[in-house]
Amino acid sequence: ALEELVIQSWELSVQRTIERIHYADTTDGSYEPFGYAMTAPFEITGSITAIRNDDVHDLLAKFYDSNTVDVNIQESSNFAIALDKCLINEPSIDNGGAVLTETIPFTVVAEDDISSASKMLGITIA
């Protein structure tokens, strides 16, 4: 089922460790590196804060059965973020405002087939 949440806010974090590879030249005092290496995989996490309704309830079922979901955040046709395979983490409810909201954290995971060319994150800006 396709859930369209009433989103109040969202956040996204993309991280990857990059390390400097020693240095190449000490004679001129520049100590420039040989290069840089990406030493860890991408870590993509985020959360969505949405008004708690039946669509949120349906999405949270994916947390309980440990299946992945697609998360797509879109503003008309000008801006879109596509996260093709996410695990939903433990949600939290906020009842301190005018409406009941729920913050749903997620983690993007790669395809099961490591030879796949599938993206983890896609951003479209028109």
Side-chain angles (χ1 to χ4, degrees):
L2 175 66
E3 289 85 17
E4 292 192 20
L5 306 179
V6 181
I7 296 177
Q8 291 194 323
S9 64
W10 58 274
E11 60 93 16
L12 184 66
S13 172
V14 180
Q15 297 181 20
R16 186 168 193 186
T17 302
I18 299 175
E19 294 184 10
R20 177 183 171 136
I21 301 173
H22 208 38
Y23 51 86
D25 189 6
T26 59
T27 57
D28 67 1
S30 66
Y31 296 97
E32 294 178 2
F34 279 112
Y36 294 88
M38 291 178 266
T39 59
F42 278 104
E43 295 179 12
I44 304 172
T45 59
S47 67
I48 296 172
T49 300
I51 293 176
R52 186 168 167 83
N53 57 21
D54 287 342
D55 290 330
V56 168
H57 182 268
D58 293 343
L59 179 61
L60 293 181
K62 298 297 183 186
F63 166 70
Y64 296 113
D65 68 12
S66 298
N67 284 327
T68 60
V69 297
D70 293 351
V71 173
N72 297 296
I73 300 168
Q74 184 171 343
E75 183 275 318
S76 67
S77 61
N78 298 323
F79 177 78
I81 295 176
L83 307 161
D84 292 339
K85 193 170 185 180
C86 301
L87 289 172
I88 301 296
N89 298 322
E90 181 74 37
S92 60
I93 297 174
D94 181 1
N95 58 3
V99 295
L100 189 63
T101 62
E102 185 135 15
T103 299
I104 306 163
F106 58 84
T107 301
V108 181
V109 296
E111 290 292 333
D112 299 332
D113 176 6
I114 61 171
S115 66
S116 172
S118 298
K119 67 184 180 311
M120 291 177 67
L121 166 68
I123 299 176
T124 303
I125 300 173

